[in-house]
Amino acid sequence: MISAVSAGSHTVMVCLFGYNYSVSTVTVNFGQTTTVSAEISPSGTGYGTLSVTSSPNGAEVYFNNAKAGITPVISNEVMSGSYTMTVRLSGYTEWT
């Protein structure tokens, strides 16, 4: 909820990564509550979430040779496609 909006006409944009945004104009009247509804749809870019765990934890994770973090790693909004992933932990065989 957003409060203390001045009366008058306002442009409202609703956006979420991976979705088409929605823009609408709403009129706010003094002393009244105005409800805005928006419908957004996936942009079709094919994003998802990738989760990498290891046992034991603490392994380095690389996506396309760029360090992504230390397990457990959760990458939100990963574009769909093929990636080279490498998991490394000292004393263990590297996994690609």
Side-chain angles (χ1 to χ4, degrees), residues 25-47:
T25 301
V26 62
T27 300
V28 175
N29 297 311
F30 180 78
Q32 295 181 354
T33 298
T34 303
T35 301
V36 178
S37 296
E39 197 169 307
I40 56 175
S41 59
S43 63
T45 53
Y47 286 91

Side-chain angles (χ1 to χ4, degrees), residues 14-22 39-44:
V14 177
C15 48
L16 178 65
F17 188 78
Y19 286 78
N20 295 313
Y21 61 88
S22 170
E39 197 169 307
I40 56 175
S41 59
S43 63

Side-chain angles (χ1 to χ4, degrees), residues 7-80:
S9 181
H10 298 274
T11 300
V12 177
M13 177 185 281
V14 177
C15 48
L16 178 65
F17 188 78
Y19 286 78
N20 295 313
Y21 61 88
S22 170
V23 177
S24 59
T25 301
V26 62
T27 300
V28 175
N29 297 311
F30 180 78
Q32 295 181 354
T33 298
T34 303
T35 301
V36 178
S37 296
E39 197 169 307
I40 56 175
S41 59
S43 63
T45 53
Y47 286 91
T49 299
L50 180 63
S51 175
V52 182
T53 60
S54 66
S55 182
N57 283 335
E60 296 178 324
V61 177
Y62 295 84
F63 294 142
N64 292 342
N65 296 318
K67 189 171 182 180
I70 305 291
T71 59
V73 172
I74 297 175
S75 294
N76 294 310
E77 299 165 348
V78 176
M79 188 179 297
S80 61

